[in-house]
Amino acid sequence: MNILLIEDRDEKITAIKEFFESEYGFNDLVVSSCLTDALGRISANEYDLIIFDIYIPLNSGNEAEDYSDSIITGFKRSKNYDSESIVLTIADIEEMDSPRKFNAAGVTVVQYRTNEDDWKNCLLYTSDAADDMQCVD
């Protein structure tokens, strides 16, 4: 399974890689830690699954900001628009407009909490769907 993880927090990257190692026996994910790199990868490559974050830096070394509009536009224009996708965010999704924008693009938004497993259940469901689609292709 070819997976793009758009995330800039090392501890969250590690947790997601550990999830894939325990569930699927691999953790070889393509990690993009800034908007510029993520958009380049989305437009140039095909992925079975894309895991988004809402807050990411524009470039390496910048502060993380909400670039939802840019990333959704890039995603919708790419050949990955039919790929399975999910947003895992630490941000409080009840206080934001971005989750509705992702939902409108067909992307589920899930609250990521280190002390809860809900995100793992949602990621498992989405990953299984991506894996099933890969077998059909």
Side-chain angles (χ1 to χ4, degrees), residues 22 24 27 33 37-38 44 73 77 94 115 119-120 124 130 134:
S22 82
Y24 297 98
N27 65 12
S33 60
D37 184 60
T73 299
R77 291 180 179 165
E94 299 298 322
N115 59 343
W119 69 270
K120 292 179 183 178
L124 180 62
Q134 183 182 17

Side-chain angles (χ1 to χ4, degrees), residues 80-92:
N80 290 292
Y81 190 56
D82 290 330
S83 300
E84 292 295 325
S85 54
I86 189 169
V87 173
L88 297 177
T89 184
I90 293 172
D92 185 359

